[in-house]
Amino acid sequence: MRRRFWWCSGSLVAALILSVTLGPLTALLAQPETTSVQLWQDSYLLHVVWFSLKQATLSTLLSLCLAIPLARALFHRQFPGKTLLLHLFGLSQVLPVIIALFGLVAVHGAQGWLRQLASWAGLTLPDYLFGLSGILLAHVFFNMPLATRWLVQSLEQIPHNYWRQAAQLNMTEWSRFHLLEWPAMRRLLPGLASLIFMLCFTSFTIVMALGGGPQATTLEVAIYQALRFDFDLAAAGQLACWQLVLGTIVVACYGWLKPSSPHLTTTSGQYVRYQPHALLPDLFALLTGLALFLPPLLAIFWYGLQALLNQSWQQSLLLQTTRQSLSIAACAGLLALSFSIGLLLTGQHLSVRLHSPQWGRLLAGTGSLILLIPTSVLSTGLFILLQARVDLFAQGFWLVILLNALAALPYTLRALQEPMQDLLVRYDRLADSLGLCGMSRLRWLEWPLLCRPAGRALALGMIFSLGDLAAIAMFGSDNLQTLPWLLYQQLGHYQMAAASATALILLLLCITLLWLVEWLASRNEQRDPPSLLE
Amino acid sequence: MRHFGSWLLTAVLLTGSTLVQAAESKPVLTVYTYDSFASDWGPGPKVKQAFEAECQCELKWVALEDGVAILNRLKLEGAHTKADVALGMDEGMLADARNSQLFTAHHADLKSLSLPGGWHDETFLPFDYGYFAFVYDGNKLQHPPQSLKELVSRNDLKIIYEDPRTSTPGQGLLMWVKEVYGDQAPAAWEQLAKKTLTVTKGWSEAYGMFLKGQADLVLSYTTSPAYHRLAENKQQYHAAMFSEGHLRQVEVAAQLKNAQQPQLAQQFMQFLLTDRFQKLIPEGNWMYPVTNIPLPDGFNQHETPAKTLQIDPQKLGERKRWIKEWLQAVSH
């Protein structure tokens, strides 16, 4: 009886996702004057595409070149605070970009720490925070830690006896790198490079804040400008299509380049590390990494605490925005969670009970469709589709929630997939034979086993929507503020005291949620945080 | 279930109380403006106080980045807009604003206007005016440029200006450069791009960065130094006076065709030309009033342009083409 409706939840959610993603896309494609010729005739747009590709390539190269020696140093050396540092590196995957920008401005800006330090030493630094150099700096700040964590993991998977043999053979530093470390890291590099490239290619906030004008604009920003600055629907639609095409190519390369599985053997426990190699390069790599990564974070804490203690900020505005931000994040997280459960219920019924795993996978795949479509493309399409029919700024709250939920869906899906499958495979027959069904099945069987993974999925979904700027930039208004949007405006107006309070609150919220994610994951299953974006 | 019941009750009570509040409250006039006008240090709060004293209503400011942002936002919102009046667009946007067909006649008596050059528009009502200028800190920059051409050709300067797509001063510079350079404008933009620290979205952003010492010169108004002299007692800020003359900016307000409070909007439009409003302009918005109001001491003794450039309404339609020209010139 109760399984008559097994197809309901999944097909409902899939239909909703398909209509919310493909509808706006069709709207974009159907824009009049959308011809592919225009882009190649417009030298400014060509410049935008060229710049998007150039900065993404440079960012990827720089991040990887710094991450490789840093990963080696972190792997070979033991020092106090190493674990904490690796945890902090994990933060960079979920840290809202806008907070990091605040930290970067506080360290590298005109009144920043570095400039003060330089003037104290009698030097004057050139301006580098705006334009390409600023964009690269910010991208390296985000992606170097991500790459480092992955590479450290790959080094940890080199079997112990290889190291012993290397020591017995008295290998030189170079041959150990060449024969042992490089092969281990090389497996990850293509996938890692394409992931970083994609993240930088679709970078929105960093380019918008540090671009410093039309010289340094990416497609993602040009779409936003075409809509909000020029009110040029056709141009926005056309740019969004190009973004989609280029993004799809990158994603396709990513899938093609992605290594099969980096997990070879697990090397648990302590083993002797033979590390007679040079201390100097390691120290240099560590210090460079720390100098790039830590000061902006410290600046957020330092100025944030000062601002909170001095109360030099608008208490009511900050409180109200925090509340709004949290309610958007909670709603988006819950929505993403229920979408995932809906998809998985039907998908796993198909694959486990009806033995057609390919259909199950396909259904779950619709949830990851969003990875192909940048949020800005989606919101542009929704904007064009709805603007004649609905008061977009009054419905902004719901639209932002919907877009954030969709953006978080691939992550919540991944967090729930295995636990739900486990449950079905292990306990389905037992439960049936005991006659457990409906509410009692939920209460006695499913809830105890799924509450942790579900909580983890919810927290993950919340983190991702807490940091969103792409959707709120499109639909935000004076009635609809989130912490990242408020911070963006405060930074824009150079209200640094207020911005520091906002940045600290946002950072603390993200850290709390991230801690929750890791805590919920720790007892339930052994999964490493890098799998967040894997 | 008990809990659910109490939740429901609370929710009903809360909704009820907000409904009662809404019924008691005064009508609200919503005015879109730019943020430096509405902010605490701008004239916004005093204007609100003065108007509310006579209208039996509540005046609600909605602060957007700039004049251009106001018009773009209104276009995006279309018929769903909550705005009754838009205050802060400028002369350079008139063609665009007129084409949008979003606005209706102001019915104000223009006889009291003392705007140099005169004004005869039935839809867009001027409320203040000024002249664009690059502002510098005399303590840091000893030899300011004497002309726009010198600014463009000198290599020792770092400047900040506003994006012409999003801000009225940026658009002013676009027209100023076009006026001075004509067909040579793209080359001038390319030269200017080399000394540009950043192009910001709006005026407050640019001016804030300039005050933090990021650049030598910032695009603002001839009247900006008066603010530092009168409000902050700082003497070091000056406007660089250019021999080619300075472009006049007239800021205008207009009533929305789809206003929810058309009568209040009319009343507000009339209010803009009264002494009560105009006397808040010089030391509130740091611009010149459009009627005959005595200026505060020390306001216009310095830095009145010897030559005024005016926007040719015939050329306004070319704005889009000029922006494209600018985009292509500065992105190389």
Side-chain angles (χ1 to χ4, degrees):
Chain A
M1 277 294 277
R2 75 196 152 82
R3 285 192 194 138
R4 196 191 291 164
F5 300 109
W6 61 268
W7 49 271
C8 268
S9 63
S11 40
L12 265 179
V13 175
L16 183 75
I17 292 172
L18 286 177
S19 56
V20 174
T21 47
L22 300 183
L25 268 185
T26 327
L28 283 181
L29 292 169
Q31 275 304 299
E33 300 165 54
T34 307
T35 50
S36 56
V37 194
Q38 272 177 338
L39 178 75
W40 305 115
Q41 282 177 345
D42 190 324
S43 73
Y44 171 66
L45 292 181
L46 274 181
H47 169 82
V48 169
V49 173
W50 167 239
F51 182 82
S52 307
L53 292 170
K54 182 172 86 173
Q55 61 84 16
T57 315
L58 284 174
S59 305
T60 312
L61 283 177
L62 272 175
S63 308
L64 288 179
C65 288
L66 285 166
I68 290 173
L70 184 58
R72 292 186 67 227
L74 277 170
F75 174 69
H76 285 299
R77 303 281 165 190
Q78 288 295 338
F79 54 91
K82 183 173 143 177
T83 325
L84 180 70
L85 186 67
L86 279 169
H87 272 285
L88 278 179
F89 275 7
L91 189 66
S92 73
Q93 287 167 60
V94 292
L95 191 68
V97 178
I98 189 79
I99 311 187
L101 274 176
F102 171 81
L104 287 167
V105 170
V107 174
H108 300 279
Q111 310 270 299
W113 290 357
L114 204 64
R115 223 160 265 266
Q116 285 174 12
L117 205 69
S119 72
W120 180 68
L123 298 166
T124 39
L125 295 173
D127 293 302
Y128 59 88
L129 190 61
F130 296 100
L132 181 64
S133 48
I135 293 174
L136 290 181
L137 179 74
H139 281 165
V140 168
F141 171 85
F142 269 99
N143 295 307
M144 178 196 65
L146 166 83
T148 306
R149 264 170 78 107
W150 276 39
L151 293 175
V152 168
Q153 259 205 334
S154 75
L155 288 177
E156 278 169 356
Q157 277 154 4
I158 299 173
H160 318 170
N161 48 344
Y162 286 22
W163 293 108
R164 280 201 204 102
Q165 278 171 357
Q168 279 161 5
L169 293 171
N170 218 355
M171 271 191 193
T172 61
E173 180 72 9
W174 168 250
S175 39
R176 275 195 306 152
F177 174 72
H178 178 65
L179 293 171
L180 286 181
E181 294 164 1
W182 177 248
M185 291 199 269
R186 197 183 51 198
R187 267 196 299 275
L188 281 183
L189 283 180
L192 198 52
S194 49
L195 174 67
I196 295 178
F197 185 89
M198 196 166 66
L199 291 175
C200 296
F201 181 71
T202 57
S203 176
F204 176 72
T205 317
I206 288 175
V207 180
M208 198 146 99
L210 297 183
Q215 295 98 314
T217 299
T218 56
L219 261 181
E220 194 96 359
V221 175
I223 294 170
Y224 172 79
Q225 286 170 339
L227 253 192
R228 289 298 285 261
F229 291 8
D230 308 337
F231 190 60
D232 192 341
L233 294 184
Q238 191 192 332
L239 287 174
C241 287
W242 276 106
Q243 168 81 307
L244 185 71
V245 170
L246 292 168
T248 313
I249 294 173
V250 178
V251 173
C253 291
Y254 172 58
W256 177 56
L257 288 170
K258 202 182 165 193
S260 49
S261 169
H263 303 286
L264 307 168
T265 48
T266 42
T267 53
S268 50
Q270 285 294 315
Y271 53 91
V272 193
R273 289 176 209 245
Y274 297 93
Q275 39 174 317
H277 67 298
L279 180 69
L280 225 57
D282 279 0
L283 204 62
F284 183 71
L286 269 175
L287 287 180
T288 314
L290 289 182
L292 270 169
F293 185 70
L294 281 187
L297 288 183
L298 282 178
I300 298 167
F301 273 102
W302 173 249
Y303 289 117
L305 283 176
Q306 268 184 345
L308 286 180
L309 292 175
N310 291 339
Q311 307 240 319
S312 52
W313 41 286
Q314 281 175 286
Q315 223 163 357
S316 58
L317 181 66
L318 187 58
L319 280 178
Q320 188 200 333
T321 311
T322 309
R323 213 177 306 133
Q324 211 158 35
S325 229
L326 273 177
S327 52
I328 286 180
C331 290
L334 278 173
L335 198 60
L337 182 67
S338 36
F339 280 175
S340 330
I341 293 177
L343 279 180
L344 288 173
L345 274 180
T346 304
Q348 295 185 342
H349 183 90
L350 272 169
S351 51
V352 176
R353 295 203 188 104
L354 301 181
H355 306 291
S356 42
Q358 63 276 29
W359 288 105
R361 265 202 301 277
L362 190 71
L363 204 60
T366 51
S368 299
L369 190 66
I370 192 81
L371 285 180
L372 281 176
I373 311 168
T375 316
S376 64
V377 174
L378 207 56
S379 35
T380 313
L382 267 182
F383 206 113
I384 293 173
L385 200 63
L386 297 178
Q387 61 110 15
R389 301 175 183 88
V390 187
D391 178 358
L392 284 172
F393 292 98
Q395 303 305 323
F397 184 76
W398 304 109
L399 289 168
V400 170
I401 287 176
L402 182 66
L403 287 170
N404 285 351
L406 285 177
L409 191 55
Y411 306 101
T412 49
L413 258 180
R414 205 177 311 233
L416 273 177
Q417 195 153 24
E418 270 180 57
M420 282 184 68
Q421 179 130 11
D422 262 12
L423 184 85
L424 205 59
V425 171
R426 281 200 212 163
Y427 299 107
D428 194 34
R429 293 198 178 164
L430 178 70
D432 279 354
S433 66
L434 289 173
L436 268 182
C437 60
M439 284 306 280
S440 55
R441 184 174 164 121
L442 180 70
R443 182 168 176 192
W444 297 111
L445 176 68
E446 287 163 349
W447 178 245
L449 286 172
L450 283 182
C451 67
R452 267 171 167 274
R456 184 168 172 261
L458 178 65
L460 263 181
M462 282 180 71
I463 293 184
F464 281 100
S465 55
L466 210 54
D468 162 75
L469 201 68
I472 191 78
M474 206 64 90
F475 298 108
S477 62
D478 58 312
N479 295 321
L480 183 67
Q481 284 266 16
T482 60
L483 286 171
W485 187 232
L486 180 67
L487 185 53
Y488 176 74
Q489 289 175 331
Q490 286 168 337
L491 282 176
H493 293 128
Y494 261 67
Q495 299 173 346
M496 285 320 217
S500 16
T502 313
L504 184 64
I505 298 280
L506 186 53
L507 181 64
L508 290 179
L509 284 177
C510 286
I511 291 182
T512 315
L513 282 172
L514 185 68
W515 170 81
L516 201 67
V517 169
E518 296 200 346
W519 178 71
L520 285 170
S522 64
R523 281 201 244 162
N524 201 270
E525 50 183 327
Q526 290 298 323
R527 285 191 73 172
D528 286 307
S531 60
L532 279 183
L533 285 172
E534 207 174 299
Chain B
M1 265 339 247
R2 253 199 338 261
H3 289 293
F4 181 68
S6 59
W7 272 13
L8 198 67
L9 191 65
T10 325
V12 168
L13 284 176
L14 279 175
T15 329
S17 64
T18 41
L19 282 179
V20 171
Q21 267 178 359
E24 279 175 1
S25 64
K26 296 173 183 168
V28 178
L29 176 75
T30 310
V31 181
Y32 282 13
T33 188
Y34 50 85
D35 46 19
S36 57
F37 192 94
S39 66
D40 293 340
W41 58 87
K46 283 184 184 152
V47 171
K48 178 179 158 81
Q49 205 183 7
F51 187 65
E52 282 178 354
E54 60 185 62
C55 74
Q56 309 300 314
C57 71
E58 191 194 326
L59 171 59
K60 186 181 166 215
W61 295 118
V62 172
L64 301 165
E65 275 131 15
D66 200 287
V68 187
I70 297 172
L71 182 59
N72 283 342
R73 178 63 175 270
L74 288 171
K75 283 193 211 160
L76 284 178
E77 290 178 342
H80 298 288
T81 187
K82 302 233 167 22
D84 297 302
V85 173
L87 178 137
M89 297 174 293
D90 85 344
E91 221 180 341
M93 300 167 56
L94 284 192
D96 214 9
R98 216 183 298 279
N99 283 341
S100 73
Q101 302 197 326
L102 290 166
F103 304 100
T104 185
H106 55 65
H107 301 300
D109 184 7
L110 298 176
K111 269 188 224 125
S112 58
L113 284 179
S114 66
L115 189 69
W119 192 268
H120 310 283
D121 199 288
E122 289 182 348
T123 310
F124 299 96
L125 185 67
F127 65 91
D128 68 11
Y129 75 100
Y131 303 95
F132 293 119
F134 280 90
V135 172
Y136 65 96
D137 179 346
N139 291 348
K140 284 187 184 158
L141 189 66
Q142 310 296 342
H143 305 287
Q146 306 288 316
S147 65
L148 186 63
K149 288 197 165 156
E150 191 188 334
L151 175 83
V152 169
S153 60
R154 257 169 74 169
N155 287 325
D156 59 332
L157 302 169
K158 195 116 236 158
I159 65 161
I160 303 177
Y161 66 91
E162 296 85 352
D163 193 324
R165 290 170 298 172
T166 41
S167 80
T168 52
Q171 201 163 263
L173 183 63
L174 192 75
M175 290 169 190
W176 200 1
V177 167
K178 203 72 201 172
E179 199 68 40
V180 172
Y181 283 91
D183 291 342
Q184 303 301 308
W189 284 120
E190 265 178 59
Q191 255 185 309
L192 210 54
K194 290 190 192 108
K195 57 188 69 107
T196 307
L197 176 73
T198 181
V199 178
T200 65
K201 244 161 71 170
W203 176 86
S204 336
E205 206 175 338
Y207 210 72
M209 281 171 105
F210 163 72
L211 291 181
K212 293 266 174 183
Q214 298 253 22
D216 300 314
L217 294 133
V218 63
L219 178 64
S220 186
Y221 299 92
T222 53
T223 41
S224 307
Y227 164 77
H228 296 287
R229 284 199 293 269
L230 290 170
E232 296 182 323
N233 205 19
K234 283 184 187 162
Q235 310 295 328
Q236 78 260 39
Y237 294 104
H238 308 283
M241 300 311 286
F242 287 171
S243 56
E244 296 98 340
H246 290 250
L247 192 78
R248 181 188 76 166
Q249 182 193 33
V250 179
E251 295 198 284
V252 300
Q255 179 182 337
L256 270 292
K257 210 181 262 173
N258 290 324
Q260 285 159 0
Q261 301 284 348
Q263 275 173 342
L264 279 176
Q266 270 297 310
Q267 198 182 341
F268 185 73
M269 294 301 284
Q270 312 292 333
F271 173 74
L272 293 180
L273 294 188
T274 62
D275 289 359
R276 298 183 297 282
F277 177 87
Q278 288 293 320
K279 72 171 200 266
L280 297 173
I281 287 297
E283 285 187 82
N285 210 29
W286 303 96
M287 296 283 272
Y288 296 114
V290 288
T291 60
N292 253 326
I293 294 281
L295 286 167
D297 283 342
F299 199 82
N300 63 346
Q301 26 180 290
H302 318 274
E303 298 164 326
T304 316
K307 190 178 161 197
T308 305
L309 302 174
Q310 243 167 289
I311 293 172
D312 180 358
Q314 304 287 313
K315 290 185 185 166
L316 281 182
E318 307 217 39
R319 184 180 152 258
K320 249 199 157 120
R321 202 168 56 79
W322 292 353
I323 284 187
K324 223 169 185 149
E325 197 176 271
W326 167 77
L327 273 175
Q328 279 169 0
V330 298
S331 63
H332 286 304

